[in-house]
């Protein structure tokens, strides 16, 4: 038996664990899970557990038989919001066919493969995230409303900032789950909050994003609130982003931010950002966020914050254009492979700006709606080279259907928020 699996088995016996949640992310970025009795987990490690892949939209089409979940024993986490006696642990899982081959719809394995490709050149990436979200009140039936929890603004304090205690509880819970929150504060929008958490290897960083979102939603619910990760939940207020702080390492050493290697890596990312926008901003609602003056828009970089998509500071580079509705495994895989392309081709980092851009500057902008994002992705040989064909086609088909649904609705913003409110 694998030593790590043995350690999981020992932990279950020693800590009165009764249930194991096997968790995975579908291709649309939704977290899914199935629970098994702890007494069954050894068999699941060996044989996996079958899921009905045709029962939901977020699994790419397949023709090789059943899809099975195989848990990753290195991802064990005790869920703090579950009972201490008869406790529950969670394991992130990979999707495979019965013969052990990786399923095309497994975005987690996609990121693992991207890490391996980067490692062949002697590099790896660490990623940290700043994730924004809104807190809304619930109605008398416990259903989400569009009433913000408070009317505070950027960096406001209690009692105007009512989210302070909720953020603190979220941070304590994240620590118990092995994440390291570094700061938290009230954001610009009413009821809008941000929590930053520490760097990790790319795969673990993507796991961390999913753990973060689950934790925020669970702790908010226990406080009688609904946490929304919609990119633009309120039409006339600030949108929510997922800032991706990325560092390049060669061996065990962090590459200097001004090194040729880092600049080639970032040049590769900048070169492909328009083509991968569909995956970083996967919803029609994502592009409502870009209509704000303070949102990133132009494919350029700067050392200060203007309206460019990449900010390069003294110690880190931050990609500002993603939002929290994305599938982080797919996004991080595409970013790593774009950066790898930059390294291999010794790309030169250009398009630095020193001021806020507008249309008169002639700079390329991010796609302004989902239709444009789909078109860019469909015409991208790079995207098609990274994503399995069935996964790519399934996402494209689903997103085109979303556009049809939105365009047939009377009020686009109302339709989008009602469709996703309570889910995202």
């Amino acid at each position: 038996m694998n030593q790590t699996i043995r350690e999981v088995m020992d932990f279950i016996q020693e800590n009165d664990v009764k249930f194991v949640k096997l968790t995975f992310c579908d291709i649309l970025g939704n977290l899914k899970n199935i629970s098994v009795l702890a007494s069954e987990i050894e068999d699941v490690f060996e044989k996996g557990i079958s899921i009905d892949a045709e029962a939901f939209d977020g699994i790419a089409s397949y023709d090789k038989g059943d899809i099975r979940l195989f848990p990753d024993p290195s991802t064990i986490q005790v869920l703090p919001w579950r009972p201490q006696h008869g406790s529950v642990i969670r394991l992130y899982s990979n999707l495979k066919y019965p013969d052990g081959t990786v399923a095309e719809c497994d975005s987690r394995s996609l990121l693992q493969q991207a890490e391996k490709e980067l490692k062949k050149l002697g590099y790896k990436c660490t990623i940290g995230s700043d994730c924004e979200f809104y807190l809304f009140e619930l109605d008398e039936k416990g259903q989400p409303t569009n009433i913000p929890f408070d009317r505070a603004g950027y960096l406001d304090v209690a009692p105007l900032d009512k989210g302070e205690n909720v953020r603190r509880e979220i941070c304590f819970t994240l620590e118990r789950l092995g994440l390291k929150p570094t700061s938290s504060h009230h954001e610009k929008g009413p009821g809008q909050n941000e929590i930053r958490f520490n760097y990790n290897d790319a795969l673990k960083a993507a796991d961390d994003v999913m753990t973060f979102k689950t934790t925020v939603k669970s702790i908010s619910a226990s406080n009688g609130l609904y946490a929304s990760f919609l990119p633009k939940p309120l039409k006339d207020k600030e949108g929510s982003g997922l800032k991706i702080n990325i560092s390049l390492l060669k061996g065990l050493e962090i590459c200097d931010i001004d090194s040729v290697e880092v600049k080639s890596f970032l040049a590769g990312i900048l070169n492909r950002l328009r083509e991968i926008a569909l995956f970083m901003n996967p919803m029609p609602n994502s592009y409502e966020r870009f209509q704000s003056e303070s949102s990133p828009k132009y494919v350029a970089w700067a050392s200060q914050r203007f309206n460019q998509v990449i900010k390069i500071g003294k110690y880190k580079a931050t990609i500002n254009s993603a939002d929290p509705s994305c599938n982080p495994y797919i996004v991080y895989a595409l970013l790593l492979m774009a950066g790898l392309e930059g390294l291999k081709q010794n790309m030169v980092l250009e398009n630095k700006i020193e001021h806020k851009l507008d249309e008169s500057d002639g700079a390329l902008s991010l796609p302004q709606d989902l239709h444009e994002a789909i078109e860019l992705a469909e015409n991208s040989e790079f995207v098609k080279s990274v994503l399995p064909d069935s996964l790519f086609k399934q996402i494209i088909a689903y997103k085109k259907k979303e556009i049809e649904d939105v365009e047939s609705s009377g009020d686009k913003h109302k339709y989008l928020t009602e469709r996703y409110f309570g889910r995202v």
Side-chain angles (χ1 to χ4, degrees), residues 35-165:
S35 295
V36 299
L37 289 169
S39 57
E40 302 295 317
I41 192 62
E42 186 171 355
D43 192 54
V44 173
F45 274 126
E46 180 183 353
K47 301 175 184 177
I49 185 167
S50 180
I51 61 172
D52 183 0
E54 294 181 305
F56 54 97
D57 293 322
I59 290 290
S61 57
Y62 64 96
D63 57 7
K64 297 181 182 178
D66 292 338
I67 290 180
R68 306 182 73 83
L69 290 180
F70 284 85
D72 180 347
S74 69
T75 63
I76 182 172
Q77 293 174 318
V78 179
L79 299 184
W81 52 84
R82 303 298 293 166
Q84 291 185 347
H85 299 291
S87 58
V88 179
I89 63 172
R90 177 175 61 201
L91 295 166
Y92 283 103
S93 303
N94 289 60
L95 300 168
K96 299 181 180 181
Y97 296 113
D99 64 4
T101 58
V102 174
E104 291 89 344
C105 57
D106 184 22
S107 54
R108 196 169 186 272
S109 292
L110 180 71
L111 178 53
Q112 288 173 311
Q113 183 58 40
E115 286 187 306
K116 290 177 183 177
E117 293 299 316
L118 196 60
K119 188 177 180 181
K120 289 178 183 178
L121 286 188
Y123 295 98
K124 76 171 186 176
C125 277
T126 58
I127 296 174
S129 301
D130 305 350
C131 193
E132 298 168 339
F133 58 95
Y134 271 82
L135 293 176
F136 291 99
E137 295 181 4
L138 303 179
D139 63 19
E140 62 277 4
K141 296 181 179 179
Q143 297 301 309
T145 72
N146 61 356
I147 302 172
F149 183 43
D150 61 35
R151 294 291 172 181
Y154 186 59
L155 300 186
D156 276 341
V157 298
L160 189 59
D161 169 19
K162 294 182 180 179
E164 187 176 81
N165 290 337

Side-chain angles (χ1 to χ4, degrees), residues 23-32 77 79 81 90 92 107-108 111 129 131 174 177 179 197 202-218 229 242 324-330 332 423:
T23 305
F24 67 100
C25 184
D26 71 16
I27 61 175
L28 302 175
N30 302 308
L31 203 61
K32 303 287 185 178
Q77 293 174 318
L79 299 184
W81 52 84
R90 177 175 61 201
Y92 283 103
S107 54
R108 196 169 186 272
L111 178 53
S129 301
C131 193
L174 290 172
L177 287 165
L179 276 70
F197 43 100
L203 179 65
K204 184 64 169 62
D207 287 343
D208 286 350
V209 170
M210 302 312 295
T211 297
F212 173 82
K213 291 173 69 175
T214 306
T215 302
V216 169
K217 284 186 173 291
S218 296
F229 289 97
L242 174 67
S325 69
C326 73
N327 178 325
Y329 301 98
I330 293 178
Y332 293 177
R423 294 190 59 82

Side-chain angles (χ1 to χ4, degrees), residues 248 255-265:
L248 184 68
C255 298
D256 188 278
I257 196 72
D258 292 320
S259 68
V260 172
E261 295 163 304
V262 169
K263 290 188 175 180
S264 290
F265 185 81

